[in-house]
Amino acid sequence: MPAESLSSAGTANARLVYMSDFLELLAADAANSSDFTDRSGISATDRARTVLFECLFNHLADDRVASLFTILGFEHDFTCYAIAGYPARSAARSRVDIEKIVADFGGTCLTAERPITGLTGADNGTGRTAVVALIRPVGAATPEIICNTIAPAFDADRPIALGPQRTGAEGAMRSVQATLYCLKAAPALAATAQSLPRPLRTDDALPERALIGDEDARDELIRVVYGSLTAAGPDDPTLLTVSTFLKYGGSLETCAKELNVHPNTIRYRLKRAAESTGWDATDPREAYVLITAIALGRMATAQ
Amino acid sequence: MPAESLSSAGTANARLVYMSDFLELLAADAANSSDFTDRSGISATDRARTVLFECLFNHLADDRVASLFTILGFEHDFTCYAIAGYPARSAARSRVDIEKIVADFGGTCLTAERPITGLTGADNGTGRTAVVALIRPVGAATPEIICNTIAPAFDADRPIALGPQRTGAEGAMRSVQATLYCLKAAPALAATAQSLPRPLRTDDALPERALIGDEDARDELIRVVYGSLTAAGPDDPTLLTVSTFLKYGGSLETCAKELNVHPNTIRYRLKRAAESTGWDATDPREAYVLITAIALGRMATAQ
Amino acid sequence: MPAESLSSAGTANARLVYMSDFLELLAADAANSSDFTDRSGISATDRARTVLFECLFNHLADDRVASLFTILGFEHDFTCYAIAGYPARSAARSRVDIEKIVADFGGTCLTAERPITGLTGADNGTGRTAVVALIRPVGAATPEIICNTIAPAFDADRPIALGPQRTGAEGAMRSVQATLYCLKAAPALAATAQSLPRPLRTDDALPERALIGDEDARDELIRVVYGSLTAAGPDDPTLLTVSTFLKYGGSLETCAKELNVHPNTIRYRLKRAAESTGWDATDPREAYVLITAIALGRMATAQ
Amino acid sequence: MPAESLSSAGTANARLVYMSDFLELLAADAANSSDFTDRSGISATDRARTVLFECLFNHLADDRVASLFTILGFEHDFTCYAIAGYPARSAARSRVDIEKIVADFGGTCLTAERPITGLTGADNGTGRTAVVALIRPVGAATPEIICNTIAPAFDADRPIALGPQRTGAEGAMRSVQATLYCLKAAPALAATAQSLPRPLRTDDALPERALIGDEDARDELIRVVYGSLTAAGPDDPTLLTVSTFLKYGGSLETCAKELNVHPNTIRYRLKRAAESTGWDATDPREAYVLITAIALGRMATAQ
């Protein structure tokens, strides 16, 4: 519903959407951003990069954004992935360090700063500004290697998020969004995960991302996780067994009684489901992922 | 240039002036003694009611909507609650029945129809059109009594949702929205709830509503549920105990070991927490509510 | 490309898109339309209908438009079709006549006026204002029966267009657009069609609609017409035979020589293709449709 | 409210002020003696050229784009033409080769890369990236000579497009657009043209360009082709004869019968029309151009 989507995407989004071409985008930012009140030392490249990230942060990835990428040397059909974290010291220093390391590997990257706001969207001013890097893959250096190498530029006591590798402006936007949602979700993970992975991959926080409105996470929970439980068809007992087991809080006996089979049958089915779907209902964290996926899947397929 | 045409049409001032025009037209039509002047055969009152509900369904509850309520006889500061369900036979018949029953109690109500779409927003055309009634409380008849009395107008095999009692246009909108989100969430409840309450109260589906983007549900999970766990202050072990117990999948022993206390201490603390907060971490459904509330609470208060 | 689509959709579209809710749409129209400078005798219904058609004419069919339909008594999931033509006498008289006839059949319809502009988008002021009716199907009365019955309300010397029957706001918009493009395309049909069908169905003017930018016509030429030529797979000679025959201006002999087969083989293949695809390359009008479809199909599938 | 924020940022005045900012930054960067100050390793001149081409590709040719041309040494009122094709080996190599050849002739040129997407706008990832060169005419070297000389830089199995010579930013944009539309249209030409001209001139693909939305092609078909058929005034039989001949699929006899004249008269008129207008209705390819032009012309002049 437009009213809702507008208000949730925010005024910045509405403003950006409404600019009719990318040159207007470049101008509009200057007209509104206080970053540019002192224009000494600002290059055209700096401004283009600032505007580009403003678009990506606001879920924009249209042709104008593709133009901005081209201007910044990311030609059509480029591949990239995002890494986001909190700066070790200053954001400016982190960005310089990251750009230098990636350049040493022979690659290119774009960096920006982004405050990580609370759930209400309000910036609580507690200095939670993240640094986001958009990196083009370089030779044999995997995202993991790059991520480990630039890790010292980030605060060691806070999470780092590594986004998936994707193609084009739309893919870049989704990778950036996934890392931002991950940083936002990280404090919640302690509720069910026994330790916080580092780097945090975007799949590590699916239920939390869904809770705060990340559509990509919702889609993945429905398509991938719920889909894996129903892949073997309506006669397969996987979904029923897993959901009954979870509904009774992980009690094999109650689940067996409810389904009128022997507990060993439940045990066997859960083991087989864990092998085939990759999600183990007897692990508390994965149980939470499964409960969330089943809830979303049932709502999505309700008749 | 579009921006220019907008600036002439879209200022807040202009909006109010012209908006009242449309509402004045509606009011004038509705006040007209011959209520069926329209070529389409729809009375002016019906039209105003349809406009009102379209507003409520689209999350609108500003001064314009308050005007619509006034046109329909719901004066300033009225109190009301919503009931929604699927019609027993036709939607038209359900609406007539409900309006008659409420009138028999001496009350007034407004009814409308609303398709309940899937998560994707796409209507799958399976006839899931709900009937929504907005009811002003009448004498000694509680919402529960009214709800039970009008229940036969609804499909007995499908959920009925009873919204909270609220005040004014904003309150009416929230009560209506809560019942709609509940109907949407109902198919998911089977994942963790052992039976579907009838009527479904809006608190019965908090985690599912939060998952599909209901801000009110999110707020309530943070404020009420998470708030109850932290109410006794930072030194109180309730939040830590409950969250550790949940993180280890409901194992008293692992939780006790992790917190370095005796399992009986955990058992005692959980019992006391269930009494003081109203949420029992040893019940699978309430455990799911608590996990969701803790996840949201941690994200909302992260620094 | 946004700049292009914005400029082609026009300022009205940008203005309408930008209104955040349907009540603002209703107000915005009043702020801009000179229709309402004299407000005496204008009902809320009239205004809602005017705004609704303004949206449909500007390719808008979002949730706000669905709300406008609901207000006007076209509930969710309604089915409808559009009929458009030039008024016999005045547009106002035609609209009244059409509405009365449809009501006599027991149905409901919404009508509006729309100038049919030249290719440049400029209204040349030659009185080419069409009347568009959006009709909900009624009992046993087919669209053809309704169309014939209301035909006297239209100018007998000018075309009438009958749109396809569709569902919901999006479907209504497409049916309306198809009839408008048809009226615009009608003068061109004389170039290749030997007589102008009455009513003109939207399939009768596919190449002309594609030429003036109708995306639906382009899609249909590629998917349906080009698709029928390639349906039998890459080894089937249908596409090659038809396209070679057309390339040589309908000469059996040259085509046969080019493909190194006997002319009778070409004749047989064209006959079989006409039967299986429904398009006969030896008919000049259908040859033009096929040439256009092959051109579009080749561009769409180019590698 | 979005409208409010827009009104502060989006007036035409503000746009020009801040736009010149961005262009001034670009100009200052480009004028800088050390041309490689940028962390990304892209020179300021390269950046300005990339920005310029992104404008041209997006149909922008206003004062802002004229400023970009000035930054790159194409002063006010310059003349140029575009050549586009697919690279023989790498795009980078093709660009270097083309720039060198033009420089050897004593001229200047700007080059860029542009993916040629399918009709849907989706890139099918098959490496269809074209190289576009914008060339200022040099001494006695005609565009044809230049085109032939740089042809080896392009893939010999794929089309090359040569745009018309034009003046200023607007002219440059149109020449570039015409070559891009030509490359997009090339796969369709095989439907009616017996061989693909090399280089493909922008007039060679008028109907196909019109079909995919090229306004310049539409204008030319109406103004030049349709105009040539009607140039001799309303009493001249050229348009009627040609259109009747085409409507009956190129049958002299049927056309003669329809117009009630001797077939030799038709033959004579078509011959004379081919001489005076340059378009021969008895040639299948030109017949298709004429049909399209007549369709567009009739729609453009309809009353």
Side-chain angles (χ1 to χ4, degrees), chain B residues 18 21 25, chain C residues 26-51:
Chain B
Y18 291 108
D21 266 8
L25 286 175
Chain C
L26 289 169
D29 187 78
N32 285 274
S33 169
S34 57
D35 294 0
F36 291 112
T37 47
D38 172 17
R39 281 194 280 270
S40 59
I42 297 291
S43 72
T45 304
D46 290 337
R47 184 176 297 173
R49 188 175 44 227
T50 305
V51 174

Side-chain angles (χ1 to χ4, degrees), chain D residues 111-124:
Chain D
T111 63
E113 298 165 35
R114 177 70 173 171
I116 303 297
T117 56
L119 285 195
T120 56
D123 179 15
N124 48 16

Side-chain angles (χ1 to χ4, degrees), chain A:
Chain A
M1 140 192 4
E4 199 180 32
S5 65
L6 261 179
S7 68
S8 71
T11 306
N13 195 347
R15 178 173 65 86
L16 293 171
V17 167
Y18 205 69
M19 300 291 121
S20 65
D21 63 55
F22 74 93
L23 280 183
E24 275 194 52
L25 281 179
L26 289 169
D29 187 77
N32 285 275
S33 169
S34 57
D35 293 1
F36 292 111
T37 47
D38 172 16
R39 281 194 279 271
S40 59
I42 297 291
S43 72
T45 305
D46 290 335
R47 185 178 293 172
R49 188 176 44 226
T50 305
V51 174
L52 169 67
F53 275 101
E54 190 68 17
C55 291
L56 300 179
F57 294 152
N58 282 286
H59 296 265
L60 285 186
D62 57 20
D63 284 357
R64 301 169 304 168
V65 178
S67 290
L68 293 174
F69 268 115
T70 304
I71 291 171
L72 289 161
F74 278 46
E75 297 92 13
H76 185 72
D77 252 0
F78 63 89
T79 295
C80 70
Y81 55 89
I83 295 177
Y86 298 96
R89 278 166 295 176
S90 74
R93 177 63 184 271
S94 287
R95 292 174 61 185
V96 170
D97 288 352
I98 292 167
E99 289 171 8
K100 188 177 177 321
I101 291 166
V102 173
D104 287 348
F105 271 99
T108 54
C109 85
L110 301 169
T111 62
E113 297 165 34
R114 176 72 173 171
I116 302 298
T117 56
L119 286 196
T120 55
D123 181 6
N124 49 16
T126 49
R128 299 219 310 151
T129 291
V131 165
V132 184
L134 207 48
I135 300 169
R136 300 179 73 176
V138 196
T142 62
E144 287 72 20
I145 291 174
I146 296 289
C147 197
N148 284 338
T149 315
I150 67 177
F154 292 115
D155 186 339
D157 297 329
R158 289 180 152 186
I160 300 180
L162 169 59
Q165 189 160 310
R166 292 278 184 272
T167 303
E170 172 85 16
M173 187 271 278
R174 289 186 183 276
S175 196
V176 164
Q177 286 295 336
T179 60
L180 294 177
Y181 273 116
C182 266
L183 290 187
K184 226 166 163 172
L189 272 175
T192 47
Q194 288 168 32
S195 67
L196 200 62
R198 185 174 177 87
L200 195 57
R201 276 149 211 286
T202 51
D203 281 4
D204 291 327
L206 288 175
E208 290 80 8
R209 288 168 55 201
L211 268 178
I212 53 178
D214 183 345
E215 298 285 350
D216 286 346
R218 243 177 247 171
D219 287 351
E220 193 154 337
L221 283 165
I222 294 171
R223 208 170 26 81
V224 178
V225 185
Y226 185 71
S228 74
L229 296 174
T230 55
D235 295 335
D236 179 82
T238 303
L239 175 61
L240 181 66
T241 306
V242 168
S243 66
T244 305
F245 178 75
L246 294 169
K247 178 158 72 178
Y248 290 105
S251 158
L252 278 178
E253 289 69 28
T254 323
C255 176
K257 203 170 148 193
E258 172 81 8
L259 297 184
N260 204 22
V261 296
H262 191 277
N264 280 347
T265 306
I266 301 297
R267 197 187 316 268
Y268 167 76
R269 286 185 189 165
L270 293 176
K271 189 159 173 286
R272 211 189 44 184
E275 285 162 7
S276 66
T277 69
W279 300 97
D280 182 355
T282 63
D283 173 85
R285 170 67 192 172
E286 297 188 19
Y288 180 55
V289 176
L290 284 164
I291 290 174
T292 305
I294 293 171
L296 283 168
R298 287 210 165 117
M299 289 189 275
T301 59
Q303 309 223 324

Side-chain angles (χ1 to χ4, degrees), chain D residues 151-252:
Chain D
F154 291 114
D155 185 339
D157 297 329
R158 290 180 150 183
I160 299 179
L162 170 59
Q165 190 160 308
R166 293 278 184 273
T167 304
E170 173 83 16
M173 186 271 279
R174 291 186 183 276
S175 195
V176 164
Q177 285 294 335
T179 60
L180 294 177
Y181 273 115
C182 267
L183 290 187
K184 224 166 163 173
L189 274 175
T192 47
Q194 287 167 35
S195 66
L196 199 63
R198 186 174 177 86
L200 195 57
R201 277 150 209 286
T202 52
D203 281 4
D204 292 327
L206 287 175
E208 290 80 7
R209 287 169 55 202
L211 268 178
I212 53 177
D214 183 346
E215 299 284 350
D216 287 345
R218 246 177 245 169
D219 287 351
E220 192 152 341
L221 283 164
I222 294 169
R223 207 168 27 80
V224 179
V225 184
Y226 184 73
S228 74
L229 296 173
T230 55
D235 295 333
D236 178 82
T238 303
L239 175 61
L240 181 64
T241 307
V242 168
S243 67
T244 306
F245 178 75
L246 293 169
K247 176 156 73 179
Y248 290 104
S251 161
L252 277 177

